[in-house]
Amino acid sequence: MVTRLRYPKGYQFFDSNGDPLALGNLYYYQAGTTILQDTYSDDEGTVSNTNPLVLDGSGRLTTDVYLGATADYKEVLVTSSATVSPWPADNIPHASASDSGGTDLGASYTDTAVNLTSSTGSGIAIAAATTSTAGVLDSARATKIDGLATVAATGSYADLVDKPSLGALASLSSVNDENWSGTPLSIANGGTGASTEAGARSALGLAAVASTGSYNDLSDKPTIPSAYTLPTASASLLGGVKVGSGLAINASGVLSATGGGSGTSPLFDVTSYGADPSGAADSYAAIAAAIAAASAAGGGVVYFPVGIYKTTQVISVLGGVSLTGVYGQSIIRPAASLPTKTINGIGVAASIACMYANSGVSDLVVDLRTNSCTANGIQAGEYGASSKPDNVRVTDNTVIGWDTHQYLIYGKLCTNIYVIDNKVVGLASGTPANEIVGIELFGVDGALVIGNQVNNTSVGILLKSQNGITGSYVKSATVFGNDVRTAQQGIMLSATPGGDFDLVTVIGNRVVDMKTTNARGIKIENNGAALRSVTVTGNVFEGTERTLVDVYFATGTGATSAGLSITNNTLTAASNCDSYANFTACAGVVFTGNNLTGGGAYYGVSFSAACNNIDVSGNVMQGSRRRAVHIEGGCSNVFIRDNRFSGYDSSGAGDVGALVDTAVPSKGIHIDRNHWQPTTPNVNYVVNTTGATRPSSSDPASTCLDNTIDFTRSRALFVTDSATLVARRVSEAPSSATAIGDRGDWFEDGSYRYVCSAASTWRRVALASW
């Protein structure tokens, strides 16, 4: 075959930074297409190279690259993440006869003659002889050539004026490596020196055979071993050849890519099964075939090269199979409507479905928006399925939703599901749709939701249980390090009867830019379940227009909590936020160590609908618009202690720093050891416990003890419940026995202790030893 050398072995490639392009992939296609086309490692075009050619660790080719003569080429060089500039190179000319240096030449000589012979065909050019081109033969005759007399057109050795000595013909043994040792070597007729084919056969020990001659026609047959056994294959050895990192060999001797040296799953390229990376043709059948082949091999990785892959049906990932691609460049684009597919005994409508154990999806883009697809994005599990998927991984994907009822990443009744480092987008811009959920895990046991980016959804991340579905609980789940933007609900925990939450941690997340009027940073909703060891800590909630932390227990449902802790979070309110934190009908909640700021909240912390056993302590709260603490609706055993309330603006008639409302009597309200620092002094009360009453003597009393207030005011503390114990250290000593003060106020200056025994009535006692 006619060939043309494109690159020699050892040729080195570099990236745009000038660094060697280690382990790059060099693809060859027919020009202008994605149809793979062979190159060759030899100039005869008999040994095809792999396609792609994989560069070594220093970016070098490990073989020669010869182009064939069939069609022009397109050349593409890629890394694991992108095409390398300036590739692709298209319309590279194929090999032609002139590339191979002409047709084959044969040569022979005797003591008296030198003869050149050639096969038929083009490619031989013999220039006319001149004095400046000595030694070049003429097609007619040479007039004068150095070292030659005037000869006929068929000039021979005998015509030479000064005949060189040719010497005897050399034998094969006269050649030692690259140097001659002895007389010249004959290259005619296979090195035998014979002038005829029959003589050459005789010299080589070959019998006269037909044109289709076989091994049995040889008169002196060489011995061929009956079999050759390769050394046992191992993870780093195949037939004595060592395999580098990123490759492995299984017990059957199958060589496979492992993604950097871990795992042993073979790779199944969907384009090898007929998938169209241009996005024009439906690739579903090819994708399904690749998945089936991987499953039949005992598991493997189904690989999507760079491109767009159209599908008109749900892609079902079988057990032990993972789908992967080139991050951001391998795109699954479903049709507008996907028919429901029965998988594992249940109907599923999603672009990609992981309904079996040990399955996964990574480094793919699922584009629902381009074709306005109404199906879900990536789904794992479903209630009613014959078995729960276990060990499902959804990592490093991008899911782009459309404005419809969709779950972009959806796990239902799974065990050990991992949703990590995905990018999820609801709408391109504008107000999030009411029914787009970024990531929803429904009834899961063992879940990690880590490092995801979720934007423009109705709910960013949702952990949920549901009444009436067996096993619909949330257990051992961690939501960590996610970034949620522009959602109606940033993070939501929703529990229903029979769907308890156990060991759930929401930590280190960032929920920002919540622009809708009903938005919440995090909502914890309990409609009749038990919340046990649920922790919300170290998060940032910013910019919502409703409330940053909303905890709601439905009344009359038996909702309980044993260890709901909201600690060490940063809450920054928008200008028209209702409250930093709102608690409705809650029981057993700890709200400590949080930093609440922003100046926009109507209330700082609000309690209503008979909240019970609430601990609010050690928080720093700054800048609420009306009151720092609001308690109403018959709450009991609420402890507000050791907090710092500053910068709030309690302006307007009846507004106070802390208010226990009178609508429904509350009891056991303890507002103790807090520091109050309003924006400016005014005549309104810092603490008003009018509503803290004891319907019976057995009810717990309320207290308002040891609070510190920065400003002296006419009625800094107002208490009407005679059962409430009050003590407050004022900021300076009273100027007289009738100075403004409230019962329970006190001050000590080193000489006297002052006590206000009734409104504006002070007593003092000298401090002395005894």
Side-chain angles (χ1 to χ4, degrees):
M1 177 190 293
V2 176
T3 62
R4 179 166 66 84
L5 182 65
R6 175 68 173 170
Y7 298 113
K9 178 180 178 180
Y11 188 89
Q12 191 173 24
F13 293 84
F14 300 88
D15 61 18
S16 58
N17 296 319
D19 297 321
L21 191 64
L23 301 180
N25 289 333
L26 187 61
Y27 288 85
Y28 284 92
Y29 305 92
Q30 289 185 15
T33 74
T34 58
I35 300 173
L36 296 173
Q37 182 165 248
D38 285 342
T39 61
Y40 305 93
S41 62
D42 64 316
D43 60 358
E44 297 295 331
T46 60
V47 181
S48 298
N49 287 320
T50 60
N51 198 354
L53 289 150
V54 180
L55 306 182
D56 66 13
S58 62
R60 297 182 184 272
L61 286 167
T62 59
T63 182
D64 292 328
V65 180
Y66 286 89
L67 304 183
T70 304
D72 289 351
Y73 284 80
K74 179 173 75 175
E75 181 180 84
V76 180
L77 181 60
V78 301
T79 65
S80 61
S81 61
T83 300
V84 179
S85 180
W87 282 268
D90 209 346
N91 297 311
I92 300 171
H94 64 278
S96 63
S98 60
D99 294 319
S100 294
T103 57
D104 295 335
L105 290 176
S108 65
Y109 55 83
T110 67
D111 289 342
T112 60
V114 177
N115 297 308
L116 292 177
T117 61
S118 68
S119 60
T120 60
S122 60
I124 300 177
I126 302 176
T130 67
T131 56
S132 62
T133 58
V136 180
L137 294 180
D138 189 347
S139 61
R141 65 188 307 163
T143 57
K144 178 177 172 51
I145 301 176
D146 292 346
L148 295 178
T150 301
V151 296
T154 58
S156 67
Y157 175 80
D159 296 314
L160 296 175
V161 174
D162 186 11
K163 300 179 180 65
S165 175
L166 298 178
L169 295 177
S171 64
L172 183 61
S173 62
S174 67
V175 178
N176 180 16
D177 294 330
E178 298 178 356
N179 302 312
W180 253 254
S181 61
T183 55
L185 174 67
S186 168
I187 60 172
N189 285 313
T192 65
S195 60
T196 65
E197 179 183 353
R201 285 184 174 278
S202 177
L204 292 172
L206 298 175
V209 296
S211 59
T212 58
S214 66
Y215 172 78
N216 290 328
D217 296 316
L218 298 176
S219 59
D220 185 12
K221 301 178 180 66
T223 301
I224 299 176
S226 58
Y228 179 73
T229 303
L230 292 175
T232 302
S234 68
S236 61
L237 190 70
L238 176 62
V241 179
K242 289 188 176 181
V243 179
S245 63
L247 300 173
I249 305 161
N250 65 20
S252 301
V254 176
L255 184 67
S256 61
T258 64
S262 61
T264 58
S265 298
L267 203 65
F268 297 84
D269 189 327
V270 295
T271 59
S272 298
Y273 293 83
D276 174 17
S278 73
D282 183 7
S283 293
Y284 169 76
I287 296 169
I291 292 172
S295 178
V301 177
V302 174
Y303 174 65
F304 293 75
V306 174
I308 299 172
Y309 300 88
K310 177 182 177 181
T311 179
T312 57
Q313 297 189 48
V314 176
I315 298 172
S316 176
V317 186
L318 300 179
V321 177
S322 295
L323 308 187
T324 191
V326 178
Y327 181 80
Q329 299 183 75
S330 300
I331 302 171
I332 306 296
R333 184 168 288 168
S337 178
L338 300 181
T340 299
K341 188 179 187 71
T342 300
I343 306 173
N344 201 2
I346 197 69
V348 177
S351 300
I352 301 175
C354 297
M355 303 295 291
Y356 298 93
N358 303 312
S359 58
V361 183
S362 66
D363 293 299
L364 294 178
V365 177
V366 179
D367 176 13
L368 303 172
R369 183 176 301 161
T370 298
N371 293 329
S372 301
C373 180
T374 58
N376 296 327
I378 301 173
Q379 178 171 339
E382 180 62 86
Y383 66 84
S386 58
S387 62
K388 288 185 176 182
D390 177 61
N391 191 27
V392 177
R393 296 177 179 269
V394 181
T395 61
D396 294 293
N397 301 286
T398 299
V399 183
I400 305 172
W402 185 58
D403 187 11
T404 185
H405 184 108
Q406 286 178 317
Y407 304 99
L408 302 184
I409 296 179
Y410 184 36
K412 197 164 189 177
L413 298 181
C414 298
T415 58
N416 301 314
I417 182 170
Y418 307 93
V419 182
I420 300 174
D421 292 336
N422 299 281
K423 183 176 181 179
V424 180
V425 181
L427 291 179
S429 61
T431 302
N434 291 328
E435 297 295 337
I436 293 184
V437 179
I439 299 171
E440 176 173 340
L441 299 185
F442 183 112
V444 293
D445 185 353
L448 293 179
V449 183
I450 298 177
N452 300 282
Q453 299 179 42
V454 184
N455 191 20
N456 259 338
T457 58
S458 55
V459 180
I461 298 173
L462 171 61
L463 302 186
K464 184 179 180 181
S465 64
Q466 185 163 327
N467 187 22
I469 298 178
T470 303
S472 175
Y473 49 79
V474 176
K475 184 177 181 180
S476 300
T478 298
V479 179
F480 169 69
N482 301 281
D483 188 288
V484 181
R485 297 173 182 268
T486 318
Q488 291 177 348
Q489 315 286 349
I491 298 174
M492 185 173 181
L493 311 181
S494 179
T496 58
D500 296 346
F501 276 51
D502 287 276
L503 299 173
V504 176
T505 302
V506 179
I507 179 172
N509 301 281
R510 189 165 185 258
V511 180
V512 300
D513 200 22
M514 314 298 288
K515 293 182 177 179
T516 62
T517 57
N518 199 33
R520 296 169 175 84
I522 181 169
K523 182 175 182 179
I524 302 173
E525 181 180 80
N526 188 348
N527 292 296
L531 304 183
R532 293 181 288 268
S533 297
V534 176
T535 302
V536 179
T537 185
N539 303 281
V540 174
F541 302 106
E542 180 180 314
T544 180
E545 296 183 5
R546 177 66 181 271
T547 185
L548 293 161
V549 175
D550 190 3
V551 183
Y552 168 81
F553 284 25
T555 59
T557 63
T560 63
S561 172
L564 172 57
S565 300
I566 303 171
T567 64
N568 301 312
N569 302 282
T570 298
L571 289 70
T572 303
S575 59
N576 54 347
C577 179
D578 285 356
S579 61
Y580 291 113
N582 180 63
F583 300 87
T584 304
C586 300
V589 179
V590 174
F591 187 83
T592 65
N594 300 284
N595 184 4
L596 300 84
T597 185
Y602 194 71
Y603 296 140
V605 183
S606 176
F607 303 90
S608 62
C611 286
N612 182 36
N613 291 327
I614 309 294
D615 181 7
V616 180
S617 61
N619 302 283
V620 176
M621 190 181 308
Q622 179 176 348
S624 57
R625 287 186 293 123
R626 187 170 182 185
R627 39 183 91 114
V629 179
H630 180 82
I631 302 172
E632 66 179 3
C635 297
S636 61
N637 299 317
V638 178
F639 298 85
I640 302 173
R641 294 175 172 173
D642 301 304
N643 302 281
R644 178 181 176 88
F645 304 106
S646 65
Y648 64 91
D649 179 14
S650 54
S651 59
D655 289 342
V656 298
L659 171 68
V660 182
D661 208 342
T662 59
V664 177
S666 297
K667 53 195 175 184
I669 308 300
H670 304 278
I671 305 175
D672 304 329
R673 301 190 304 273
N674 301 285
H675 182 96
W676 306 87
Q677 187 181 23
T679 303
T680 56
N682 56 63
V683 297
N684 299 310
Y685 311 116
V686 174
V687 178
N688 185 340
T689 60
T690 302
T693 62
R694 299 173 66 189
S696 67
S697 59
S698 62
D699 291 322
S702 297
T703 61
C704 184
L705 302 172
D706 296 324
N707 294 280
T708 301
I709 302 172
D710 278 3
F711 293 111
T712 300
R713 59 192 66 243
S714 59
R715 301 299 300 275
L717 185 67
F718 180 68
V719 180
T720 58
D721 174 24
S722 59
T724 298
L725 303 178
V726 178
R728 176 179 69 95
R729 184 182 186 276
V730 297
S731 57
E732 59 186 5
S735 58
S736 67
T738 59
I740 295 174
D742 292 291
R743 181 177 63 89
D745 290 351
W746 64 275
F747 184 78
E748 187 175 301
D749 61 7
S751 298
Y752 296 96
R753 183 177 181 89
Y754 301 87
V755 176
C756 186
S757 58
S760 300
T761 303
W762 289 88
R763 301 288 186 266
R764 74 178 184 184
V765 61
L767 300 177
S769 60
W770 72 95

